[in-house]
């Protein structure tokens, strides 16, 4: 089959199909097809691939190893004993935690860069490109099985130029070759394995390979050997192979092109929003919330769309249903095992439909988006649960994902760790799971007033579903790592637990809080999972938004101070003022200092877009105009670097980088929102803050470029649909005239922050006519306090309300939109 595929590859008429055949020959026939190009993730603990016919394939595309692959890889979780390093390669000089994990492989690894490219061209060798990230389970497996294998290492080093890429450092490289792998094999995921010509054109791609053949799945040794067999005829095959590579790239360019037709307007917002709601409703799982049965992802972009949709449709049955979908999903996630009840924060996703057994990895971008979703639910519903969960997330991030010296945020915590000191075999969730005997030993005290002889452990185990035999079903534990273990999940309300044991609700709450605190102390003594201390600009921007938004709603000064610290970190460590460039990432050094690689990686579109959004949120939370000024500066720079003058919208990476073969525009809001989606909102907000009408027009051009996707599959871009809705309904400008720290000003600001207003900008006028805002918007100089008291003006459709001094009256105006008007 391989030779047939190779002959097809070199035929004149082949394009994508030959590579598809070749890839199948290498990667095996057992991997289920996945066809979407979105945010794929490293998976474990999942048996059933999604129905490829579902429209939600576009909202959370993933790579699922087949059940047989799961079973065949159980031994891959073993960690070799600690011994002196026999091998050290050039990755030892890198800063990326993922690259450093491979620094002692018997493989002559290069980082992505000119040295590797020159070697490939000078020696006329194919390139083996391996892409992953430091908390990816299957990346660890492939390293232990293959990249630590001496025979495989020699085969790779002698015959290929081997390049290792951290996808979180170089998302541009990852996107290009993931598009190739998905287009030619129907699936994708990490680790990603791609073979390139010396001029970086891909000709074979796959994902995880076992070291040697397993049934119908070829091993890495087989793949390498067969490629090497072909390369003695490299000179003979070169013209056909290079031609085929060119045709593949051309096909990918056409297939991924996104552009507006001349004069095209964005689609009608109401129609697009209604369709997006219907597509989400069709995939909604009613019992436990969320979308699809399993695996289940938090998908904050979906939840934020649903809550925004309710805001403009609250009097309709569809609006009520949208809100119910969002709030029920958030409640069930908060009660589920995906939520870490002991140490706070959320795991990556649930392997079952009830949010019970998670993949235990924790990602910074999930914490950031979920904190915003929960505080938004709190604003809408008034339920304390949602505010508590938002605080809970930020407490976790402050404690475990924060660089205390610089104010930056780390990227992720791994899912795997060793169960106890001295052990070498890492296990999924070992840091987070509990046996019933552990809990009984830790919580032995008899509870006074409870029925019978009841211990704190009895009440805790009842409330959190702890069982003597463990509470994880065998089908959720394909590796057998969770046998006899318990993943905490709230099974009963506090009221029902109190009734069950004949004690008061407050008593139960106290007992549960006390138990969780004791368990948190026990956890501190366990070996921690690997922490990826890389600080990524885009994810720090998302986290900046979270602290600013939550701090503003709760009036929490500590959260607001942390937000300011995060903003200062971004400006000090990830902004090159001399080059006027955002830097992609920086690193936690051995001596607690912040380190940078040389040369540093320049920022990508998502770095600019997410930081700008964070700065706008930080301005609205603190009303310090320095953040607004920097947002304006960054937007100008983003426009210069990434805007597509021909087709509209932004490229994901710098079009001038010749080593990136495809210029892509991300067309999916997945695990993270698309940078174009966020930019559409940023442009609109900034146009209201700065008076730059060209940014309003640019936002429209961007939305027009994505018209086809928005019209056909809006479920793929719920965050962009929110921007489209904001364009349609127009933003309210809420202008507070008063002294920033005065009590009357604070009262008006608290009224604004108590409400979820998706279509608004908030600004403060303090009487300084030469201020940044008054210079940009001269009309603000005519607004002032009313009778010496702080006053609010609500402006929309080129008219403003009469000044309002009472916070409750302001709240009423904002809720019902009834405004006595006064012409600007």
């Amino acid at each position: 089959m391989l030779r047939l595929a190779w002959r097809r590859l070199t035929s004149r008429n082949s394009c994508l199909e030959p590579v598809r055949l070749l890839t199948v020959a290498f990667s095996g026939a057992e991997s289920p097809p996945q066809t979407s190009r979105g945010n794929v993730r490293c998976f474990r603990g999942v048996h059933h691939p999604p129905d490829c016919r579902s429209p939600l394939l576009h909202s959370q595309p993933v790579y699922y190893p087949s059940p047989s692959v799961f079973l065949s890889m159980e031994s891959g979780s073993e960690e070799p004993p600690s011994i002196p390093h026999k091998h050290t390669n050039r990755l030892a000089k890198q800063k990326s935690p993922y690259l450093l994990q491979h620094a002692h492989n018997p493989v002559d690894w290069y980082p992505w860069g000119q040295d590797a490219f020159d070697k490939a061209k000078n020696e006329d060798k194919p390139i083996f490109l391996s892409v992953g990230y430091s908390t990816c389970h299957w990346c660890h497996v492939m390293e232990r099985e293959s990249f630590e294998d001496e025979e495989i290492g020699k085969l790779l080093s002698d015959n290929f130029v081997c390049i290792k890429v951290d996808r979180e450092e170089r998302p541009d490289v990852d996107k290009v070759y993931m598009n190739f792998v998905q287009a030619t094999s129907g699936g994708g995921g990490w680790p990603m394995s791609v073979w390139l010509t010396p001029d970086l054109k891909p000709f074979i791609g796959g994902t995880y390979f076992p070291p040697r053949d397993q049934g119908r799945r070829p091993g890495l040794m087989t793949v390498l050997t067969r490629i090497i067999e072909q390369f003695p005829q490299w000179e003979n095959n070169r013209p056909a192979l290079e031609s085929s590579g060119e045709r593949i790239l051309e096909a990918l360019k056409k297939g991924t092109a996104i552009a507006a037709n001349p004069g095209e307007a964005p689609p009608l917002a109401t129609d697009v929003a209604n369709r997006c709601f219907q597509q989400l409703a069709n995939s909604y799982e009613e019992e436990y919330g969320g979308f699809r049965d399993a695996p289940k992802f938090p998908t904050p972009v979906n939840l934020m769309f649903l809550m925004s949709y309710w805001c403009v449709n609250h009097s309709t049955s569809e609006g009520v249903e949208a809100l119910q979908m969002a709030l029920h999903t958030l409640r069930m996630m908060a009660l589920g095992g995906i939520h870490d009840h002991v140490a706070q924060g959320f795991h990556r996703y649930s392997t079952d439909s009830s949010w019970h057994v998670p993949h235990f990895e924790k990602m910074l971008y999930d914490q950031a988006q979920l904190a915003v979703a929960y505080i938004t639910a709190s604003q809408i519903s008034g339920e304390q649960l949602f505010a508590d969960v938002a605080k809970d997330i930020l407490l976790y991030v402050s404690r475990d994902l924060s660089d205390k010296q610089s104010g930056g945020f780390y990227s992720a915590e791994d899912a795997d760790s060793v169960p106890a000191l001295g052990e070498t075999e890492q296990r999924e969730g070992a840091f987070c799971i509990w046996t019933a005997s552990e809990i009984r030993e830790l919580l032995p005290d008899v509870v006074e007033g409870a029925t019978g002889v009841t211990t704190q452990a009895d009440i805790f185990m009842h409330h959190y579903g702890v069982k003597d035999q463990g509470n994880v079903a065998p089908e959720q534990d394909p590796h057998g790592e969770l046998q006899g273990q318990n993943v905490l999940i709230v099974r009963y309300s506090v009221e029902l637990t109190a009734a069950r044991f004949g004690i008061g609700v407050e008593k139960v709450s106290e007992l549960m809080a006390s138990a969780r605190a004791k368990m948190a102390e026990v956890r501190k003594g366990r070996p921690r999972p690997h922490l990826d201390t890389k600080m990524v600009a885009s994810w720090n921007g998302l986290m900046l938004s979270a602290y600013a938004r939550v701090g503003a709603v709760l009036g929490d000064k500590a959260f607001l101070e942390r937000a300011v610290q995060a903003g200062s970190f971004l400006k000090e460590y990830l902004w090159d003022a001399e080059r006027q460039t955002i830097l992609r990432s920086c690193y936690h050094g051995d001596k607690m200092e912040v380190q940078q690689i040389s040369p540093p990686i320049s920022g990508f579109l998502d770095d600019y877009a997410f930081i700008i959004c964070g700065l706008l949120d930080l301005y609205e939370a603190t009303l310090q105009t320095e953040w607004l000024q920097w947002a304006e500066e960054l937007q100008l720079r983003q426009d210069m670097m990434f805007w597509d003058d021909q087709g509209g919208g932004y490229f994901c990476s710098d079009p001038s980088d010749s080593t990136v073969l495809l210029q892509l525009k991300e067309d999916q809001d997945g695990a993270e929102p698309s940078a174009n989606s966020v930019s559409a909102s940023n442009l609109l907000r900034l146009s209201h803050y700065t008076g730059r009408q060209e940014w309003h027009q640019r936002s429209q051009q961007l939305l027009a470029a994505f018209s086809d996707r928005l019209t056909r599959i809006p479920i793929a871009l719920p965050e962009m649909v929110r921007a489209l809705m904001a364009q349609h309904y127009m933003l309210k400008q809420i202008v507070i005239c008063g002294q920033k720290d005065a009590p009357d000003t604070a009262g008006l600001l608290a009224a604004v922050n108590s409400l979820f207003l998706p279509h608004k900008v908030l600004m403060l006028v303090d009487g300084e006519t030469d201020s940044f805002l008054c210079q940009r918007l001269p009309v603000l100089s005519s607004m002032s306090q009313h009778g010496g008291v702080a006053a609010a003006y609500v402006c929309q459709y080129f008219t403003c309300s009469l000044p309002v001094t009472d916070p409750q009256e302001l709240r009423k105006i904002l809720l019902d939109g009834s405004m006595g008007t006064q012409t600007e």
Side-chain angles (χ1 to χ4, degrees):
M1 184 177 180
L2 174 68
R3 295 186 186 281
L4 170 63
W6 188 269
R7 287 197 298 271
R8 288 288 303 276
L9 177 63
T10 58
S11 70
R12 284 196 304 261
N13 298 322
S14 63
C15 184
L16 290 182
E17 184 62 21
V19 183
R20 183 187 302 277
L21 287 171
L22 188 58
T23 307
V24 170
F26 283 142
S27 61
E30 294 184 358
S31 297
Q34 298 294 321
T35 57
S36 180
R37 297 194 313 271
N39 291 313
V40 194
R41 268 286 165 190
C42 172
F43 260 63
R44 39 183 334 207
V46 182
H47 276 290
H48 307 292
D51 180 354
C52 293
R53 296 167 296 177
S54 168
L56 260 199
L57 180 64
H58 297 276
S59 72
Q60 204 60 50
V62 293
Y63 167 65
Y64 299 82
S66 65
S68 62
V69 175
F70 277 115
L71 294 174
S72 68
M73 292 194 283
E74 287 187 45
S75 63
S77 61
E78 294 186 5
E79 194 65 63
S82 178
I83 56 175
H85 298 302
K86 183 178 178 181
H87 303 279
T88 299
N89 57 54
R90 58 182 55 76
L91 296 186
K93 297 180 180 179
Q94 297 298 302
K95 303 299 182 187
S96 157
Y98 176 63
L99 299 189
L100 290 171
Q101 287 171 350
H102 294 263
H104 301 291
N105 298 160
V107 178
D108 188 19
W109 289 118
Y110 280 77
W112 180 267
Q114 198 60 48
D115 287 350
F117 309 153
D118 290 345
K119 179 180 174 68
K121 287 183 178 179
N122 292 339
E123 299 182 12
D124 204 24
K125 283 183 177 178
I127 292 169
F128 171 61
L129 175 66
S130 177
V131 182
Y133 57 104
S134 80
T135 58
C136 163
H137 172 75
W138 294 114
C139 301
H140 303 333
V141 172
M142 192 164 175
E143 182 200 10
R144 289 193 290 266
E145 291 180 342
S146 294
F147 300 143
E148 291 180 355
D149 183 292
E150 297 276 352
E151 186 179 6
I152 291 176
K154 180 171 174 54
L155 201 61
L156 280 167
S157 301
D158 289 350
N159 297 280
F160 301 89
V161 175
C162 302
I163 299 179
K164 178 63 73 173
V165 168
D166 181 340
R167 68 172 298 266
E168 295 169 352
E169 279 190 327
R170 292 302 304 252
D172 54 339
V173 175
D174 177 64
K175 284 186 176 82
V176 168
Y177 296 108
M178 185 60 72
N179 267 275
F180 168 79
V181 170
Q182 289 181 315
T184 56
S185 71
W190 296 280
M192 177 170 62
S193 307
V194 189
W195 285 264
L196 319 177
T197 63
D199 57 355
L200 306 181
K201 294 182 175 66
F203 60 92
I204 300 170
T207 52
Y208 164 83
F209 291 95
R212 289 162 181 84
D213 296 354
Q214 294 180 351
R216 298 174 63 196
R217 191 179 188 91
L220 185 61
M221 281 287 292
T222 298
V223 176
L224 296 174
T225 301
R226 291 177 180 175
I227 295 174
I228 292 165
E229 287 173 357
Q230 297 298 328
F231 262 79
Q233 294 114 38
W234 167 237
E235 286 302 325
N236 296 330
N237 287 327
R238 181 196 295 268
L241 186 57
E242 289 183 341
S243 174
S244 181
E246 289 291 348
R247 291 197 300 273
I248 291 166
L249 287 172
E250 283 304 311
L252 287 175
K253 286 176 183 177
K254 290 179 182 178
T256 58
I258 294 171
N261 295 319
E264 184 176 7
L268 185 61
T270 51
D271 289 349
V272 171
N274 289 337
R275 187 174 295 110
C276 188
F277 163 71
Q278 287 300 333
Q279 289 178 346
L280 285 170
N282 290 340
S283 61
Y284 178 67
E285 197 274 293
E286 292 188 359
E287 185 173 5
Y288 295 103
F291 307 93
R292 299 162 90 50
D293 292 327
K296 271 189 179 171
F297 289 80
T299 57
V301 289
N302 290 346
L303 303 176
M304 291 302 296
F305 164 76
L306 290 170
M307 290 186 281
S308 297
Y309 183 81
W310 169 81
C311 278
V312 294
N313 295 281
H314 57 268
S315 60
T316 68
S317 59
E318 291 82 2
V320 171
E321 183 181 356
L323 182 60
Q324 184 275 331
M325 288 163 59
L327 298 185
H328 182 59
T329 298
L330 288 166
R331 285 192 198 98
M332 298 310 293
M333 288 196 317
L335 301 177
I338 192 174
H339 183 201
D340 187 341
H341 296 282
V342 171
Q344 298 87 43
F346 278 80
H347 301 294
R348 178 76 271 268
Y349 64 86
S350 174
T351 64
D352 56 76
S353 64
S354 61
W355 304 107
H356 180 203
V357 182
H359 174 47
F360 288 87
E361 177 185 27
K362 288 180 178 177
M363 304 300 297
L364 181 67
Y365 57 74
D366 283 326
Q367 315 309 319
Q369 294 175 87
L370 284 169
V372 172
Y374 274 100
I375 203 62
T376 300
S378 167
Q379 289 175 297
I380 292 172
S381 69
E383 289 186 35
Q384 188 61 39
L385 167 69
F386 297 130
D388 288 344
V389 174
K391 289 189 289 186
D392 169 285
I393 293 169
L394 297 192
L395 288 173
Y396 159 69
V397 173
S398 294
R399 184 189 66 237
D400 293 344
L401 293 183
S402 285
D403 189 85
K404 303 300 190 294
Q405 296 294 110
S406 68
F409 300 107
Y410 301 143
S411 294
E413 277 194 304
D414 208 338
D416 300 358
S417 61
V418 295
L421 293 172
E423 296 191 30
T424 58
E425 180 181 348
Q426 291 197 346
R427 295 189 177 185
E428 165 86 13
F431 186 66
C432 302
I433 53 182
W434 303 87
T435 63
S437 58
E438 283 179 304
I439 293 173
R440 286 201 176 94
E441 183 179 345
L442 183 63
L443 307 172
D445 295 343
V446 174
V447 177
E448 293 184 11
T451 54
V453 182
T454 300
T455 65
Q456 187 179 13
D458 293 328
I459 299 174
F460 185 90
M461 291 168 66
H462 174 82
H463 189 69
Y464 284 102
V466 176
K467 298 179 180 178
D468 288 314
Q469 70 275 23
N471 68 2
V472 178
E475 59 268 22
Q476 298 308 128
D477 184 25
H479 301 271
E481 295 171 310
L482 304 177
Q483 289 181 4
Q485 300 286 342
N486 290 272
V487 177
L488 302 183
I489 179 171
V490 176
R491 291 298 191 191
Y492 301 95
S493 67
V494 177
E495 291 77 11
L496 285 175
T497 298
R500 166 70 175 76
F501 293 99
I503 55 179
V505 169
E506 288 188 8
K507 181 68 172 176
V508 170
S509 296
E510 291 171 5
L511 288 169
M512 296 304 96
S514 166
R516 292 192 301 269
K518 292 175 184 176
M519 295 169 79
E521 286 301 312
V522 170
R523 267 220 206 156
K524 290 179 181 178
R526 295 178 176 178
R528 292 195 66 91
H530 160 71
L531 178 67
D532 188 323
T533 56
K534 177 173 70 269
M535 291 171 270
V536 176
S538 61
W539 299 353
N540 273 258
L542 290 173
M543 206 69 235
L544 170 59
S545 282
Y547 275 92
R549 295 276 295 276
V550 176
V553 173
L554 299 180
D556 189 304
K557 290 185 178 179
F559 287 157
L560 293 176
E561 288 171 1
R562 185 67 184 88
V564 170
Q565 186 184 19
S568 299
F569 159 79
L570 287 165
K571 196 159 192 179
E572 181 174 355
Y573 295 102
L574 289 173
W575 172 240
D576 185 335
E578 184 177 341
R579 294 169 51 222
Q580 292 288 288
T581 302
I582 289 287
L583 305 178
R584 172 63 178 177
S585 53
C586 58
Y587 308 86
H588 175 81
D590 294 335
K591 299 178 181 179
M592 306 298 288
E593 80 281 20
V594 175
Q595 296 182 337
Q596 187 53 266
I597 58 174
S598 180
I601 300 168
S602 295
F604 304 102
L605 175 62
D606 60 345
D607 298 308
Y608 285 82
F610 296 176
I611 290 175
I612 290 167
C613 180
L615 293 173
L616 294 178
D617 290 336
L618 183 57
Y619 167 72
E620 292 199 351
T622 65
L623 300 168
Q624 297 170 358
T625 54
E626 64 183 281
W627 307 117
L628 200 54
Q629 289 176 269
W630 193 31
E632 180 186 41
E633 185 180 349
L634 290 183
Q635 188 63 59
L636 290 167
R637 188 65 180 155
Q638 176 184 317
D639 291 350
M640 185 183 303
M641 292 180 66
F642 303 107
W643 181 255
D644 177 7
D645 287 320
Q646 279 72 46
Y650 293 98
F651 293 115
C652 293
S653 59
D654 185 350
S656 66
D657 187 346
S658 62
T659 67
V660 179
L661 303 184
L662 292 176
Q663 293 305 322
L664 301 170
K665 298 174 188 174
E666 186 65 60
D667 63 351
Q668 177 174 313
D669 297 322
E672 306 162 52
S674 156
N676 271 291
S677 297
V678 175
S679 293
S681 293
N682 289 346
L683 289 165
L684 189 60
R685 293 171 75 183
L686 278 166
S687 72
H688 283 262
Y689 279 123
T690 65
R692 291 177 179 267
Q693 286 307 302
E694 65 270 24
W695 276 342
H696 186 278
Q697 294 161 5
R698 181 156 287 187
S699 180
Q700 290 182 317
Q701 292 169 342
L702 188 160
L703 294 168
F706 287 83
S707 286
D708 180 64
R709 188 81 155 158
L710 287 168
T711 302
R712 291 188 304 107
I713 321 171
I715 193 175
L717 286 165
E719 185 68 21
M720 191 173 287
V721 178
R722 291 214 308 144
L724 184 65
M725 292 166 66
Q727 284 271 5
H728 175 78
Y729 292 104
M730 296 189 65
L731 300 186
K732 287 185 175 125
Q733 294 171 305
I734 304 172
V735 183
I736 308 295
C737 296
Q739 297 305 306
K740 187 171 69 171
D741 298 323
D744 51 357
T745 303
L748 294 172
L749 291 171
V752 176
N753 290 325
S754 69
L755 301 172
F756 175 50
L757 303 167
H759 309 140
K760 72 101 170 64
V761 292
L762 172 66
M763 54 190 78
L764 177 73
V765 174
D766 58 6
E768 298 291 333
T769 56
D770 60 348
S771 68
F772 172 82
L773 280 172
C774 286
Q775 288 180 344
R776 296 296 190 279
L777 303 170
V779 69
L780 296 180
S781 299
S782 65
M783 297 181 183
S784 61
Q785 298 184 35
H786 188 66
V789 178
Y793 298 79
V794 181
C795 307
Q796 193 176 28
Y797 303 116
F798 308 105
T799 60
C800 292
S801 70
L802 295 168
V804 177
T805 58
D806 178 58
Q808 290 306 313
E809 185 181 352
L810 174 60
R811 182 182 167 88
K812 181 177 183 299
I813 289 172
L814 294 173
L815 277 173
D816 61 22
S818 60
M819 299 190 298
T821 60
Q822 145 187 322
T823 304
E824 282 190 350

